[in-house]
Amino acid sequence: MDDVAIFPSAEWMQAINQKLNTDEKYAQVAKNWEGDMRIILEPDSSLKETMWLYLDLWHGKCRDAYIENLNSTKDPAFIMNAPYGNFVNVLSGKISPMQALMTRKLGVHGSMAYMMRNVPTVLDLVRCCQEVTHSWK
């Protein structure tokens, strides 16, 4: 992929949507996943304002992906939150998603039991996100 979109941007959201809908491995690994997700990017030295990213994930497909309005009344099944730099570190491969969770560099709200039963799906979602942002590596 030569044209890598900047994270976070509308172009990046389109890129991850397309990646999730065309990646055969993700389709297989996530075939039983049911749950939408909000990713809350908290401000830090590189990001001045909070951003919400929304992914509607359902049975190995992404039904929708966009930058969400901060006044949204959606009630997603999962919410991930962290300072922007922590997400960048996960997407760039500097820290593993599991290490980020265990060290509380990445917060997750929703059914932890469901997430733990579906760790391969979560890790493959991260892989797909890393691949559309591979220019950081």
Side-chain angles (χ1 to χ4, degrees), residues 29-47:
V29 172
K31 68 183 177 196
N32 295 321
W33 180 271
E34 297 180 354
D36 56 346
M37 180 181 300
R38 175 182 294 141
I39 299 170
I40 300 175
L41 304 173
E42 300 166 352
D44 64 10
S45 61
S46 299
L47 183 72

Side-chain angles (χ1 to χ4, degrees), residues 58-101:
W58 194 260
H59 292 269
K61 295 294 179 193
C62 182
R63 298 189 296 193
D64 210 352
Y66 55 88
I67 296 174
E68 192 176 4
N69 185 307
L70 299 184
N71 296 321
S72 172
T73 57
K74 282 191 181 298
D75 186 21
F78 300 97
I79 297 175
M80 297 175 65
N81 67 294
Y84 171 74
N86 291 1
F87 278 106
V88 169
N89 287 336
V90 170
L91 293 176
S92 66
K94 291 180 182 166
I95 185 171
S96 76
M98 297 310 287
Q99 183 181 6
L101 286 170

Side-chain angles (χ1 to χ4, degrees), residues 19-33:
K19 173 71 173 171
L20 293 173
N21 286 321
T22 59
D23 191 279
E24 291 181 25
K25 181 180 178 193
Y26 177 77
Q28 182 60 34
V29 172
K31 68 183 177 196
N32 295 321
W33 180 271

